[in-house]
Amino acid sequence: MVPVGVYGTVKSIQSGSYTVEQTVAVIEDETGTQTEVNMIQRWPVRIARPYKNKFMPSRPMNSGQRIIDTLFPIAKGGTAAVPGPFGSGKTVVQHQLAKWSDVDIVVYIGCGERGNEMTDVLNEFPELVDPRSGESLMQRTVLIANTSDMPVAAREASIYTGITIAEYFRDMGYDVAVLADSTSRWAEALREMSGRLEEMPGEEGYPAYLASRLAQYYERAGVVACLGQEDRQGSITAIGAVSPPGGDISEPVSQATMRIVKVFWGLDSSLAYARHFPAINWLTSYSLYTDTLKAWYDENFPGFMDNRERAMAILQEEESLNEIVKLVGKDSLSAGDQLTLETAKMLREDFLQQNAFMDEDAYSSYDKQYRLLSMILRYDDLCRAAMARGADVAKLFTIDAREKIGRAKMILPGTYEKAYADIEADMKAEIEAFTEGGTEE
């Protein structure tokens, strides 16, 4: 908690109750100069706070959201963008991250938000229980409220204020997540201020330095060795929502952000209208941290990344098969392709879809995600083996275990291990009954 640039020996330190402006410690440097320290630190918000070293992120940030943790993981100290049209669920995704992410501090920046949205956050967060400590979620949350009716200069400063507060906690050795909602409205404030300053406009009227300002913001994320004699590390994970007009991500803010961040969670309005939440499109989203995090996953959950690769391949194959189905119908497909479509449907509905408003499904641990995905892929393997021995594909889709898999994500923590093993045993027995040796009906 010593201000940046102050070094030396602690000559005195106080105990008890003090205001933030009263002196609580005196520090003397090697020249004998004494510095009085209170509980206020002043720092220009547009300048990044210093640190010893910066490291490559190597641990994932557990969000509890299956589509994020399994398909498009973000590293602690990483950067991510959540672009999407109005009503696609950007704010709910960020609220889920604020509640469930395994970080010590959450800084939520409501940049240019509607007043009623910030009111909802201020009303809801104190009522939510932090799953890590059992205390109110507000105990580890910093909210920066910048509503849309505030001056544009305040909006432009709000983003920097949030990341500077995050750096203050990072310097103490904490893992911090910064959620900016949304950087598009921050960019609009930049555009308005640039126009008033009569600067030369760039694309769509945004200032020519838009991309460099965005880069300066996201570059302040990362895993660092903190200043001071103690050997401690802190991290800042920066996640920014982008609200492109009309949902068109070809506009400058989205494109500049995509060139900087390593994770792209593209929200899709068609998924949101179909009530598939989180409405992250698995065909357009990506994570560039998968190679970096592979060592961590292989050490803690062997086979996790192999399952991920296979699930992604099935979902991509489904997209190409759907084009054929539109032309000639599903019945014209081979049995193997019909099974691919069924497995992809299970992945979408039984794994990727997640209900933020149900306690049983709002959060999913890595182990539960791994076992659930393995069970769906095991179903695919057993069905293909049974089909090779002459089983009827239509009957394989109607087994009782298929319905149990659909409800498996609702099984409570602490009981799912045995329940999943039972489902898998039932599934194996039922599918074996449909092979050539067991189809005499």
Side-chain angles (χ1 to χ4, degrees):
M1 293 182 67
V2 177
V4 173
V6 176
Y7 297 93
T9 307
V10 178
K11 298 300 290 182
S12 67
I13 191 163
Q14 310 299 322
S15 64
S17 298
Y18 289 82
T19 67
V20 291
E21 294 179 332
Q22 289 177 300
T23 300
V24 294
V26 176
I27 296 173
E28 184 178 271
D29 62 16
E30 61 266 13
T31 64
T33 304
Q34 293 190 349
T35 305
E36 293 184 347
V37 177
N38 60 19
M39 290 183 282
I40 293 177
Q41 288 198 23
R42 289 179 170 84
W43 187 264
V45 295
R46 287 176 178 79
I47 298 174
R49 285 171 66 95
Y51 49 82
K52 280 184 184 174
N53 294 306
K54 202 170 202 176
F55 306 107
M56 178 69 76
S58 59
R59 293 177 299 145
M61 186 182 82
N62 181 12
S63 68
Q65 312 306 299
R66 288 184 290 269
I67 189 166
I68 291 175
D69 291 343
T70 300
L71 297 190
F72 311 110
I74 181 173
K76 278 186 181 176
T79 54
V82 194
F86 174 76
S88 58
K90 293 186 294 296
T91 302
V92 174
V93 167
Q94 292 203 315
H95 286 191
Q96 284 293 90
L97 292 170
K99 181 174 181 182
W100 297 111
S101 295
D102 61 337
V103 293
D104 302 307
I105 309 283
V106 174
V107 180
Y108 182 86
I109 309 166
C111 178
E113 280 295 288
R114 291 180 292 279
N116 60 336
E117 282 196 17
M118 287 309 301
T119 304
D120 288 343
V121 172
L122 288 165
N123 287 335
E124 288 173 14
F125 271 41
E127 296 175 5
L128 296 174
V129 176
D130 180 3
R132 301 177 72 197
S133 66
E135 302 283 334
S136 166
L137 195 62
M138 284 300 289
Q139 296 292 326
R140 68 172 183 123
T141 306
V142 178
L143 288 177
I144 296 180
N146 175 257
T147 52
S148 51
D149 61 343
M150 288 186 179
V152 288
R155 187 183 306 178
E156 194 263 345
S158 64
I159 290 280
Y160 296 115
T161 305
I163 199 85
T164 305
I165 291 172
E167 287 174 336
Y168 170 74
F169 287 111
R170 176 207 68 189
D171 292 344
M172 297 183 196
Y174 290 120
D175 293 320
V176 189
V178 180
L179 309 173
D181 189 11
S182 79
T183 54
S184 291
R185 298 191 181 105
W186 172 72
E188 287 167 6
L190 274 182
R191 178 167 62 183
E192 191 170 334
M193 291 171 64
S194 176
R196 290 180 185 180
L197 293 169
E198 299 183 6
E199 295 174 340
M200 184 69 73
E203 191 179 356
E204 292 191 19
Y206 289 105
Y209 48 78
L210 171 68
S212 66
R213 290 286 175 87
L214 279 167
Q216 286 169 10
Y217 167 71
Y218 283 108
E219 280 296 318
R220 290 170 75 168
V223 182
V224 303
C226 307
L227 293 175
Q229 292 183 333
E230 296 175 6
D231 183 22
R232 63 183 188 276
Q233 285 189 7
S235 71
I236 294 178
T237 307
I239 301 167
V242 186
S243 310
D248 178 20
I249 63 167
S250 63
E251 54 91 39
V253 181
S254 301
Q255 290 299 307
T257 304
M258 287 169 64
R259 287 199 296 270
I260 300 158
V261 301
K262 295 285 190 73
V263 179
F264 179 80
W265 298 320
L267 296 174
D268 193 326
S269 56
S270 61
L271 286 173
Y273 294 145
R275 290 291 177 263
H276 178 109
F277 292 106
I280 296 173
N281 190 318
W282 47 87
L283 298 171
T284 58
S285 303
Y286 60 82
S287 171
L288 301 181
Y289 289 117
T290 49
D291 291 340
T292 311
L293 300 176
K294 189 176 188 304
W296 186 91
Y297 280 110
D298 288 346
E299 180 183 344
N300 293 279
F301 302 98
F304 194 103
M305 296 305 280
D306 294 334
N307 284 352
R308 176 196 177 273
E309 295 296 329
R310 194 171 156 204
M312 286 293 293
I314 290 171
L315 290 167
Q316 287 167 356
E317 191 176 349
E318 179 200 29
E319 183 67 13
S320 57
L321 288 173
N322 280 336
E323 296 298 321
I324 299 171
V325 169
K326 287 176 186 175
L327 293 172
V328 294
K330 189 175 180 179
D331 294 337
S332 62
L333 295 177
S334 66
D337 288 343
Q338 288 185 39
L339 178 57
T340 299
L341 288 178
E342 185 68 15
T343 306
K345 182 183 177 184
M346 292 170 71
L347 288 171
R348 287 188 286 105
E349 296 179 359
D350 304 338
F351 186 76
L352 299 182
Q353 198 168 356
Q354 199 164 347
N355 193 333
F357 299 103
M358 295 190 71
D359 293 340
E360 301 89 345
D361 195 33
Y363 174 83
S364 189
S365 65
Y366 281 122
D367 185 61
K368 188 175 180 182
Q369 293 180 42
Y370 173 61
R371 290 171 187 265
L372 181 57
L373 182 56
S374 296
M375 187 163 54
I376 293 171
L377 297 176
R378 179 71 174 149
Y379 170 83
D380 184 82
D381 290 336
L382 291 171
C383 285
R384 289 190 190 280
M387 284 159 48
R389 297 199 296 272
D392 183 358
V393 66
K395 291 180 179 178
L396 294 173
F397 296 164
T398 60
I399 61 173
D400 292 339
R402 168 71 182 81
E403 188 178 337
K404 291 176 184 175
I405 293 173
R407 294 196 295 264
K409 61 186 177 183
M410 295 296 183
I411 298 172
L412 293 171
T415 60
Y416 66 83
E417 295 95 336
K418 182 179 184 304
Y420 286 6
D422 292 343
I423 292 172
E424 202 160 324
D426 293 345
M427 174 175 67
K428 187 175 181 181
E430 289 180 65
I431 290 174
E432 283 180 353
F434 284 128
T435 56
E436 285 183 308
T439 52
E440 298 173 8
E441 299 178 4

